[in-house]
Amino acid sequence: MICVGSSADIEEGRSKGLEVEGAYLFAVKRDDRIFLYRNSCPHLGTPLEWEEDTFLDPDGALIQCATHGALFEIETGHCIAGPCLGQNLQKIPYLLDNGLIMVDEANLGKRNF
Ligand code: FES
């Protein structure tokens, strides 16, 4: 297992980009739960953020891709609007260990696609 970040570093209702060993991920904290995804839009495989650590729409209700505006549910990564409608962000399984977000290297991959 490898540590990709600390839960305490992610504010409630906010998102944060994470990079570890060449893999690009992002996390969203909502209701004190962490949702972890690969930072790759299912539409074209581009990173999703608008600017650093900004992966959510203006209301903070949904994940929104900066390239063409696709909207995804925070809890599931399911696309509910936009060019990749019906597709999903790649969810990364993790364990919390004393507040540290731990991911199996096998689930990390070295590439962003
Ligand atoms: S690349 Fe994300 S919506 Fe097109």
Side-chain angles (χ1 to χ4, degrees):
M1 301 289 272
I2 189 165
C3 177
V4 301
S6 167
S7 173
D9 289 343
I10 307 165
E11 291 177 53
E12 173 63 34
R14 307 295 283 273
S15 56
K16 186 172 179 60
L18 304 166
E19 183 191 353
V20 59
E21 298 201 351
Y24 294 91
L25 313 178
F26 70 96
V28 181
K29 186 185 274 186
R30 179 185 256 186
D31 298 331
D32 212 29
R33 293 166 65 204
I34 300 284
F35 300 93
L36 185 64
Y37 295 101
R38 188 170 302 281
N39 185 6
S40 176
C41 181
H43 181 214
L44 294 181
T46 56
L48 288 106
E49 68 265 49
W50 298 83
E51 52 190 55
E52 191 174 357
D53 296 333
T54 304
F55 293 79
L56 302 180
D57 70 355
D59 296 335
L62 294 162
I63 296 163
Q64 186 166 34
C65 177
T67 306
H68 305 111
L71 292 164
F72 305 85
E73 293 175 339
I74 290 173
E75 291 84 356
T76 65
H78 190 66
C79 180
I80 58 167
C84 43
L85 179 67
Q87 296 185 59
N88 294 286
L89 296 170
Q90 187 183 343
K91 205 164 200 171
I92 306 291
Y94 70 90
L95 296 173
L96 272 185
D97 182 3
N98 283 327
L100 298 179
I101 305 167
M102 306 296 294
V103 172
D104 193 322
E105 285 95 327
N107 291 322
L108 206 53
K110 297 298 177 201
R111 301 184 56 220
N112 208 24
F113 299 100

